Amino acid sequence: MALLSVTDLEVRYGMILALRGISFKVENGQVVCLIGANGAGKSTTLNTISGLLKPYAGKIEFDGRDITKWRPDRICKAGLVQVPEGRQVIATMSVQENLEMGAYARSGGWLGPYLHPQKARKLSEEQRYDIEMVFKRFPRLQERRYQKAGSLSGGEQQMLAVGRALLARPKLMMLDEPSMGLAPVLVNEVFSIIKDLKAEGKTILLVEQNARKALEVADYAYVLERGQIIKSGPAETLRNDEQVIAAYLG
Amino acid sequence: MDFLIDFFNLNDVQWVPQIVNIIWNGSLYSLFALGYALIFSVLGVLNLAHSAIFMWGAYVGLWAVCGNTVFDGQCPAVDVPVWWAIPAAMIGGGIIAILVDRIAFYPLRQRNAPRLSQLISSIGIAIMMVAIAELVFGKERLSMPLDAIPRRNFDIPDGLSIENPLDIGRIGLGMYVAEFNILLTPVRLQIIVVSLILMIFLGFIVTQTRLGQGMRTVAFSERVSSLLGVHVDNIYMIAFFISGALAGAAGMLYTLNSNVFLPSTGSELTLKGLTVIVLGGLGSIRGAVLGGYLVAAIEVYMVAATDYGGLADAVVFFLFFLVLMFRPQGILGQPLPDRA
Amino acid sequence: MKQRFKIVVCLLLIATLVLPLSAMAQDGGDEEETPRMGFWEECADPANLSGEIPIGVVFGLTGSIAQYGEPQANGVRLAEQEINESGYLGEEATVTFVYEDGGSDRETSIAAFEKLINEGVVAIIGPTLSSQAFGADPLAADAGIPVMGVSNTAAGITTMTGDPELDQFIFRDSLPESGVIPGTVATAVEILGIEDVAILYGNDDDFTASGYEVFVDALEEAGVEILLEETFSRGDVDFSVQLTKIIEQDPDALVVSALIAEAVQIVTQARQAGYDGPIIGGNGFNSPALFTDAGEDANGVIVGAAWNVGNPNELSEAFVEKYTEAYGNPPDQFATQSYVGAWLMATAVRCADSADPADIRDALASIQDFPSPLGLFSFDEDRNPVHDPVVQIVDDGAFAVFDESYANYFD
Ligand SMILES: Nc1ncnc2c1ncn2[C@@H]1O[C@H](COP(=O)(O)OP(=O)(O)O)[C@@H](O)[C@H]1O
Ligand SMILES: [Mg+2]
């Protein structure tokens, strides 16, 4: 049983058909990438999985449960966490608070964290430890711990966004174009972070326009074009696929 | 310094009692504005029904201590301690605020309606709430019995003794009030104390708790918050409850001071509250508090130091205008993200 | 019950036809007779009247102003009943009062006047507030319809247009502040030895502002020093800033020109703040709400009035009794003045023996020494009322006539 399996997913924006019935799977411990040009429907896919968009048809199963109709916060709490396109760090909060918000999903039931006298205020031992681990992973964030997230550079914001997602202890992390808008040096840095995460055994669904880099880290890949999956296979195979080379790696 | 004192005509002002007037009036304004600001910061929409919730809170509190006779437009007797009205008004105000959200905002939010329609929807429900209050409680002034509310100035009651350490504070207060001609009644002291407690409590919630973090995240972006596991609708519900409870407390304290319960109570506060939060900084908690005291100070100043007390509102709105022109984010506010 | 009432009225009718009213007023009449209104011997029984004669009535019946408007409407209703049951306008004719809500603002009263004028009323009673009268009365004057204020006490009501041709249609039976206040101030100063006062008044309302001006003139006349003047706006519920200033000055008396809602707040808050001296009020204080809402805080309030429920006048006593029976509570000044106003209008119709507004106007203007609960009532050449006022003091939760016995009340 795959950790995440998407079956015949169809999504519309009004009359516009953005996804035309796509199916794919992410196995535990895998890094799977979804490559495609701008406007192919990659973000739509992730947002539908995250529950932000309601599919017109199709089914999404995660960890053995049908999550198609779940609310986004419930999906997040179940361990399926998205790092959205454009980072979306909370600009008005400090780095520390952004990370604390990352652990929000772990803080209990619908009123749990609010009414419990200790939980209401404090992070648990475990959460605190996880935050320290993120700072260990990204020392640059530690230096800017009490700075507002809005004042960070693009690369730092991406680190913060990834760190924040890690704090939810995700079973599956979905990254939406983490390299978008970054200088080449930073792009390499971002992909080395992903490699590290992979090495730690994390399961990742990576969405990228930068097919070359993505195919380097991924185990398995799907190619999305105008809302349809036109090709799939082990990353190794796609890297050598002539059509893919012509369209995405050339 | 002397020049300034002359310029502002402060020579004849009785500092101590007028500052006390500023403090309790300002506490009321701040308390009212806090709930207003809270909804604005979380939702990005002005809840123009806030003053109707304020009024309803006062009636709920009245009902709680007076009983069902209020539905006949009467309150002949108060058999329980009158202060019970305050928590009752808070709970009532909180629940009513949630209903306001469910009726006026939620359906529009679901449909991603523009902020302007949410604003107008809140005006609509405010008008309805006043009309319903007129139906339920009558259009006539309702009052508690005169002796139900301790509205006399603090004095030194007979039978107190300096020997008794418990009496010393009471004697000191009485002497101080008499010495400086302060108009301080138990209700006004209650206004100051309750407002202070609630302000600190709200500040604590917003800055120190998970709930507050959740609210601030929702204020930043609904989408991002739900991706972080925040149940956005619950946050809205809790925010409305807190906002309504603050409005209810303010409404109850306001009416305890005047002992005038009317369906139109608080209608003048809609605009004043808006001024308060704009002056202080839209959506800023500290700004709302600052704005409340500032508006109270201007009002008291105009009456106390000039012959143009009737122009106090005009001066407040002029300042409002200046702030909108030159510092739209308010005195303490940060430059705003795009909100309506 | 109703049947018996009718019989009593018929008996009384016969009795009054036999006994001239003037005799009753002089010697109190027969012990079993209740003095009654109307049948003024100055004019003959009407011969030409017939049908329902419509007279418009515009009072504020909704909102906080209803505490004036309701008793006013009650007064007119009682008069209407008496007038028609007694056949005051002859066998063939009755008067029909057409009630319109004048609200608490100008616009609502203006709309009410327009509606009534279009409906063809021959005269109008109202509106409740002076500020409304300034807006609405010119409409009636323009249409050539006599209008009578029964609670408008601001200065200049009956000369508001400045054009004698129009002004001649504007009457009032409510003694203006200028007719009540000077006597009140003089009496209070004389009895209590007041040397200095503070004034608190509403400056955004015609009624309270003109009351303030009359107070200032009267105080100057009486040689009293005004220590300070403070203002407020309509709808204010808190006066602590003004009272802080006033109490610091320690005046001998506090003079207040306010409507009843604010008056109650000012009185209670002044007492809360520890001020227990005399509070001299304008006409706005003349409402039972002063006692119900301010309770014992109202003790020591001195108010001049056109009328007092304890007026030692037989027509007044009879009116109080009938009103109380009909409505369950005693009338206030506003009810009395509207009651008298309705009777004055009916008398004008009766004396004119015509339903033509111009004739009614002329008859109204020539009313002199009409016996009423207000005393002997006349209009002066400016169509203002002339009758004796009463100075009252609130003592133990009720108005009492203020006299020398209160010289040491505040000591
Ligand atoms: N909110 C929206 N309303 C209408 N169309 C949209 C919306 N968002 C995306 N689309 C359309 O859906 C298609 C897929 O968009 P998206 O998922 O953002 O692509 P990608 O992330 O691959 O660049 C595009 O054609 C885009 O124009
Ligand atoms: Mg995208």
Side-chain angles (χ1 to χ4, degrees):
Chain A
M1 182 79 198
L3 182 60
L4 173 74
S5 87
V6 172
T7 322
D8 298 327
L9 193 64
E10 207 179 302
V11 178
R12 300 178 182 216
Y13 293 105
M15 295 301 291
I16 305 163
L17 210 53
L19 294 182
R20 303 159 185 263
I22 63 168
S23 302
F24 64 90
K25 281 184 171 36
V26 180
E27 301 288 343
N28 224 332
Q30 256 186 345
V31 174
V32 172
C33 80
L34 202 58
I35 56 178
N38 202 8
K42 308 182 295 295
S43 297
T44 305
T45 311
L46 292 200
N47 288 338
T48 310
I49 295 172
S50 277
L52 292 174
L53 297 171
K54 294 293 159 229
Y56 184 78
K59 193 169 172 187
I60 306 165
E61 283 166 301
F62 177 69
D63 213 7
R65 282 180 291 185
D66 182 349
I67 62 163
T68 319
K69 296 205 167 101
W70 286 18
R71 273 194 327 268
D73 57 288
R74 189 167 171 211
I75 292 172
C76 171
K77 282 175 189 145
L80 180 45
V81 179
Q82 183 189 159
V83 180
E85 192 175 85
R87 271 86 63 185
Q88 303 285 352
V89 295
I90 305 157
T92 51
M93 288 187 186
S94 67
V95 169
Q96 168 79 22
E97 279 193 296
N98 265 276
L99 294 175
E100 288 176 9
M101 275 316 293
Y104 193 93
R106 281 157 63 190
S107 40
W110 84 267
L111 263 182
Y114 313 140
L115 290 186
H116 194 288
Q118 268 177 347
K119 278 190 201 159
R121 179 124 189 246
K122 293 196 191 131
L123 301 168
S124 69
E125 229 14 80
E126 225 178 25
Q127 290 170 3
R128 222 180 305 241
Y129 174 81
D130 284 0
I131 289 179
E132 291 313 315
M133 291 311 290
V134 169
F135 283 132
K136 201 164 271 177
R137 189 191 294 269
F138 305 121
R140 264 155 65 194
L141 291 185
Q142 179 143 36
E143 291 162 25
R144 291 165 177 68
R145 188 167 188 156
Y146 299 109
Q147 240 170 280
K148 289 263 182 293
S151 70
L152 300 183
S153 72
E156 288 158 356
Q157 289 193 4
Q158 190 65 58
M159 289 175 195
L160 180 55
V162 172
R164 187 174 68 180
L166 284 172
L167 273 161
R169 293 215 173 161
K171 291 184 184 139
L172 168 59
M173 204 157 130
M174 306 190 287
L175 303 172
D176 194 348
E177 305 208 34
S179 73
M180 190 176 74
L182 295 183
V185 199
L186 292 174
V187 171
N188 289 335
E189 201 167 332
V190 165
F191 278 98
S192 80
I193 292 170
I194 298 172
K195 268 178 214 156
D196 291 344
L197 293 172
K198 180 182 177 181
E200 290 160 29
K202 300 247 161 20
T203 313
I204 294 173
L205 174 58
L206 174 66
V207 154
E208 261 300 341
Q209 274 189 64
N210 190 333
R212 186 184 308 274
K213 291 276 181 195
L215 290 174
E216 268 174 33
V217 292
D219 300 308
Y220 201 87
Y222 295 85
V223 180
L224 196 59
E225 222 176 86
R226 271 176 264 116
Q228 273 172 319
I229 288 177
I230 55 155
K231 224 174 214 19
S232 64
E236 195 89 9
T237 324
L238 288 191
R239 239 182 340 219
N240 301 317
D241 184 288
E242 271 171 33
Q243 201 186 340
V244 173
I245 290 172
Y248 300 99
L249 303 174
Chain B
M1 195 63 202
D2 284 349
F3 163 74
L4 281 180
I5 286 180
D6 285 342
F7 182 77
F8 287 108
N9 195 21
L10 297 176
N11 284 310
D12 298 333
V13 175
Q14 296 112 45
W15 284 103
V16 179
Q18 297 296 20
I19 286 176
V20 171
N21 286 333
I22 293 177
I23 293 177
W24 72 259
N25 272 303
S27 300
L28 265 182
Y29 290 162
S30 300
L31 196 56
F32 176 82
L34 274 181
Y36 217 166
L38 182 69
I39 294 303
F40 183 81
S41 66
V42 174
L43 232 68
V45 173
L46 284 172
N47 174 15
L48 293 183
H50 196 63
S51 55
I53 299 170
F54 170 95
M55 174 268 295
W56 268 92
Y59 274 115
V60 170
L62 181 69
W63 170 71
V65 296
C66 236
N68 294 332
T69 55
V70 296
F71 301 120
D72 306 327
Q74 282 170 347
C75 176
V78 170
D79 297 330
V80 296
V82 71
W83 304 126
W84 288 13
I86 298 173
M90 290 181 69
I91 294 169
I95 292 170
I96 289 164
I98 291 178
L99 291 177
V100 166
D101 175 43
R102 288 286 131 171
I103 296 166
F105 292 107
Y106 180 79
L108 294 174
R109 213 162 47 227
Q110 290 303 94
R111 269 182 273 146
N112 278 322
R115 296 235 154 81
L116 186 63
S117 25
Q118 302 192 30
L119 188 85
I120 290 166
S121 163
S122 77
I123 297 177
I125 197 163
I127 294 170
M128 270 174 51
M129 287 167 74
V130 172
I132 295 172
E134 285 179 352
L135 273 180
V136 175
F137 305 106
K139 292 174 181 173
E140 301 296 306
R141 167 197 156 127
L142 255 168
S143 301
M144 291 192 194
L146 289 162
D147 53 0
I149 311 174
R151 297 201 305 159
R152 300 261 144 211
N153 232 22
F154 280 113
D155 55 3
I156 305 173
D158 296 336
L160 295 189
S161 144
I162 313 189
E163 313 281 296
N164 184 348
L166 288 176
D167 290 351
I168 289 178
R170 187 68 184 75
I171 292 173
L173 185 63
M175 282 170 59
Y176 203 72
V177 163
E179 172 67 24
F180 289 98
N181 272 318
I182 298 172
L183 305 194
L184 188 65
T185 61
V187 170
R188 291 177 188 161
L189 188 63
Q190 196 80 346
I191 288 175
I192 298 172
V193 171
V194 171
S195 304
L196 206 66
I197 293 173
L198 291 177
M199 284 176 206
I200 292 172
F201 180 69
L202 183 71
F204 173 81
I205 287 192
V206 170
T207 59
Q208 302 293 316
T209 66
R210 297 300 266 165
L211 172 61
Q213 277 182 332
M215 285 181 184
R216 282 181 291 144
T217 311
V218 172
F220 176 76
S221 157
E222 223 178 279
R223 215 175 148 82
V224 170
S225 353
S226 57
L227 286 181
L228 291 171
V230 179
H231 190 325
V232 177
D233 265 333
N234 279 348
I235 294 282
Y236 283 145
M237 207 157 92
I238 294 166
F240 267 99
F241 183 86
I242 294 176
S243 156
L246 293 173
M252 198 65 237
L253 291 167
Y254 183 85
T255 45
L256 280 177
N257 180 54
S258 66
N259 199 17
V260 175
F261 295 79
L262 277 170
S264 61
T265 299
S267 55
E268 75 279 3
L269 284 180
T270 302
L271 263 187
K272 203 172 276 179
L274 182 62
T275 317
V276 165
I277 61 177
V278 168
L279 283 184
L282 268 175
S284 151
I285 299 291
R286 274 184 304 164
V289 174
L290 176 83
Y293 288 105
L294 192 62
V295 168
I298 293 171
E299 288 185 350
V300 169
Y301 167 79
M302 288 302 289
V303 176
T306 77
D307 290 334
Y308 306 104
L311 292 182
D313 282 352
V315 172
V316 168
F317 285 113
F318 181 65
L319 192 66
F320 175 74
F321 171 76
L322 286 186
V323 166
L324 278 184
M325 287 287 288
F326 298 110
R327 204 181 153 78
Q329 71 270 33
I331 296 169
L332 289 185
Q334 280 136 3
L336 285 172
D338 180 30
R339 326 220 92 187
Chain C
M1 178 70 214
K2 217 174 181 177
Q3 202 61 34
R4 230 173 62 199
F5 184 72
K6 268 189 186 156
I7 294 169
V8 170
V9 166
C10 285
L11 286 176
L12 283 174
L13 202 148
I14 296 162
T16 23
L17 284 176
V18 177
L19 282 173
L21 191 81
S22 55
M24 279 167 50
Q26 274 159 20
D27 59 23
D30 195 310
E31 282 302 314
E32 279 158 33
E33 297 303 331
T34 320
R36 50 188 302 252
M37 291 290 295
F39 296 92
W40 192 34
E41 61 186 8
E42 301 293 321
C43 30
D45 285 349
N48 300 322
L49 295 174
S50 64
E52 291 189 355
I53 298 167
I55 296 179
V57 179
V58 177
F59 295 137
L61 301 176
T62 48
S64 68
I65 196 178
Q67 56 192 313
Y68 300 111
E70 272 304 328
Q72 289 184 310
N74 287 343
V76 175
R77 279 188 206 108
L78 188 60
E80 179 175 15
Q81 196 182 1
E82 291 176 8
I83 290 163
N84 289 334
E85 285 180 1
S86 65
Y88 192 45
L89 300 184
E91 301 283 287
E92 307 292 316
T94 54
V95 62
T96 303
F97 288 98
V98 186
Y99 301 85
E100 281 295 329
D101 183 8
S104 54
D105 57 347
R106 268 177 204 233
E107 286 64 36
T108 315
S109 324
I110 289 175
F113 266 56
E114 278 172 346
K115 183 161 180 245
L116 289 169
I117 292 168
N118 287 336
E119 285 173 4
V121 296
V122 300
I124 296 178
I125 293 176
T128 301
L129 297 181
S130 294
S131 51
Q132 299 174 316
F134 283 115
D137 286 3
L139 294 177
D142 274 336
I145 292 175
V147 52
M148 191 196 307
V150 293
S151 52
N152 307 147
T153 52
I157 285 281
T158 56
T159 50
M160 66 170 72
T161 68
D163 174 357
E165 283 302 306
L166 295 176
D167 282 342
Q168 61 167 342
F169 287 98
I170 305 174
F171 294 76
R172 63 171 149 190
D173 78 350
S174 43
L175 215 50
E177 303 273 46
S178 57
V180 178
I181 287 174
T184 313
V185 169
T187 309
V189 168
E190 191 195 312
I191 294 178
L192 297 173
I194 293 165
E195 283 168 11
D196 50 26
V197 297
I199 303 184
L200 184 53
Y201 70 102
N203 63 349
D204 60 347
D205 179 89
D206 289 335
F207 168 77
T208 56
S210 83
Y212 154 77
E213 278 161 18
V214 179
F215 264 122
V216 170
D217 290 345
L219 288 164
E220 260 165 28
E221 184 85 1
V224 176
E225 187 193 354
I226 298 169
L227 293 174
L228 77 164
E229 300 174 356
E230 291 296 321
T231 61
F232 59 85
S233 307
R234 215 156 130 201
D236 282 0
V237 290
D238 191 87
F239 302 87
S240 47
V241 184
Q242 293 93 330
L243 287 170
T244 299
K245 287 174 82 177
I246 288 167
I247 283 167
E248 211 258 351
Q249 296 282 329
D250 194 21
D252 288 344
L254 175 56
V255 172
V256 179
S257 180
L259 296 175
I260 189 64
E262 289 83 22
V264 164
Q265 292 302 105
I266 291 169
V267 168
T268 53
Q269 287 174 27
R271 297 300 189 217
Q272 280 158 28
Y275 175 78
D276 44 21
I279 298 175
I280 302 175
N283 200 21
F285 281 66
N286 279 311
S287 162
L290 185 61
F291 311 116
T292 53
D293 296 348
E296 61 184 22
D297 286 347
N299 289 343
V301 169
I302 297 170
V303 193
W307 180 81
N308 176 298
V309 73
N311 238 13
N313 158 338
E314 291 180 338
L315 284 172
S316 174
E317 284 163 1
F319 165 65
V320 170
E321 192 177 311
K322 273 183 271 184
Y323 186 99
T324 311
E325 187 182 329
Y327 302 110
N329 54 306
D332 59 8
Q333 180 192 319
F334 295 94
T336 313
Q337 287 174 328
S338 69
Y339 171 80
V340 172
W343 269 105
L344 287 169
M345 278 298 189
T347 302
V349 173
R350 180 180 147 92
C351 291
D353 199 5
S354 152
D356 180 60
D359 297 341
I360 295 173
R361 189 224 82 86
D362 293 343
L364 198 56
S366 54
I367 288 180
Q368 294 289 322
D369 292 332
F370 179 77
S372 80
L374 299 174
L376 286 183
F377 185 98
S378 310
F379 283 113
D380 68 8
E381 66 276 17
D382 276 340
R383 300 160 304 284
N384 278 317
V386 180
H387 67 85
D388 288 335
V390 262
V391 181
Q392 327 160 91
I393 183 169
V394 180
D395 182 13
D396 213 6
F399 277 128
V401 176
F402 181 62
D403 55 25
E404 286 293 342
S405 65
Y406 286 94
N408 299 319
Y409 185 80
F410 295 99
D411 295 345

